Amino acid sequence: MTFISSINDEIDDKPKEACGVFGLIAPGEDVARVAFFGLYALQHRGQESCGIATFDNNNNIHIHKEIGLVSQAFDETVLAKLKGEIVVGHTRYSTTGSNNICNAQPIIASYNDYGIALAHNGNLVNANSLRDTLIKRGYSFESTTDSEVMAKLVIYEMAKIDKEKNQINLKEAIVNAFRQCKGAFSVSIATKDQIVAIRDPDGVRPLCIGITNKGHHVISSESCALDIVGAEFVRDVAPGEVVLINRIQKIDSTFLTNEIKPHHCIFELIYFSRPDSLFRGLSIYHFRKELGRQLARESFVDADYVISVPDSGTPAAIGYAEESKLPYSEALIKNRYIGRTFIQPTQMLRELGIRLKLNPLKDIIAGKKIVVIDDSIVRGNTSKKLVKLIRDSGAKEIHMRISSPPVQWPCFYGIDIDSREQLIAANNSVDEIAKYIGADSLKYISHEGMIKATGLSRETFCTACFSGEYPIEIPSELEGAKHRYETAKG
Ligand code: SF4
């Protein structure tokens, strides 16, 4: 299948999430089928490609990867071939490496007859130097992803330990390998006899562990995937932790370092994670509503209705409405099935733009003062189309309120915000952005307000795309992207 076009990309300029990972060790179960439904729940984390790899009792690896959505890539025939008791799965959006089938995950690598299947969410900031070193050691690469670098690094360490001690030691190989990795990594690895969860010492991307009613352990990027497969949330994988779980469900935990300083991506709370996933025991929905409440306290404006840009803006809009005592109404109806398509829109449809995705309720909007809540503005072009759509529906006044601060800096930890020239807030004042998008007023939540809404300390989070303060050092080879500047008004 050739990936031709994405209407979503044209009508949605939200930053794109890197990936979702899912793993399970469940002797006697149809693990591929469970992984399918787990990945289904993690589809929002990556829609470009997906894959499932299983290990059977005879140490055979079965794998299927495809460009496209989980529902397009797998059917009964494919799942039937994915035999085994241990599984790892992945949904991908490309942040490192292009959207090519060879970059799809899981990545398979092996030392002698010991194979691993690796799925990764995040982004290594030192992937290039690790890759160069591995190439010098004689390793070759089939993909352009940092995930393959990790897989090959584990294999290299495994071979080294075998040479020195004449034994295969997965745990030691993983710890040695991931101690060399810098950046964001939430990883699940499957082998013939274990499932492993690894999280970077900053805990940038989420990763959690659940358990099924049969006592089988599940690893998932978000807890929403545990719910869908009937598993109970047990706990998060701690920042810097390596958790190995074997066939009899025995857990072995170790840490990559003693210097653990969590810096969770605050954008996960604002936009990326599903609202029904948990962060520190509370739903993401709860945090988004609090952001909306704080936004109302900071930038109240009298209006007839508070409306949201669905779906991600909705919890904040409800919070804003509750705090400001203004009525909340649905006013933009989302076509939930437009999603990814393999069909090119005609020029006429392309011109409809955002209307393919959002249809306004004119009888709610016409003649009214409207507060529109969205979670973020990246390039500004979608907000401009959105304001026009609401204006064309007869709104008297349009006041945009954004439940994140201005996005001004690129992300190097697995989110597709590449350089400052893409970011309207890096190059324009808030008033200039308001003028550009055509709103009567525009206000963002303050940086302090965003932190306050979480109820946690500033140090708990990475906020680099808002503040420019990067918790994990950016190597000089990537520094250029941090400072690239150009006027970008569209
Ligand atoms: S830079 Fe922004 S998107 Fe990237 S990890 Fe930090 S908070 Fe998240």
Side-chain angles (χ1 to χ4, degrees), residues 233-304:
F233 175 83
V234 175
R235 66 175 179 91
D236 285 320
V237 177
E241 190 180 12
V242 177
V243 181
L244 298 97
I245 307 165
N246 67 12
R247 282 175 178 266
I248 57 163
Q249 308 298 320
K250 189 167 166 272
I251 294 187
D252 179 358
S253 162
T254 190
F255 282 83
L256 295 172
T257 169
N258 294 328
E259 288 167 32
I260 306 286
K261 281 196 209 120
H263 290 104
H264 307 301
C265 168
I266 203 161
F267 229 137
E268 292 278 351
L269 270 58
I270 294 164
Y271 171 66
F272 300 127
S273 291
R274 261 177 52 160
D276 51 339
S277 287
L278 298 172
F279 176 75
R280 300 211 170 185
L282 290 169
S283 68
I284 296 290
Y285 180 89
H286 160 88
F287 290 103
R288 290 194 185 148
K289 225 169 129 181
E290 284 305 310
L291 288 163
R293 285 182 180 281
Q294 180 63 26
L295 188 59
R297 287 192 280 271
E298 292 182 5
S299 58
F300 172 82
V301 57
D302 197 19
D304 296 303

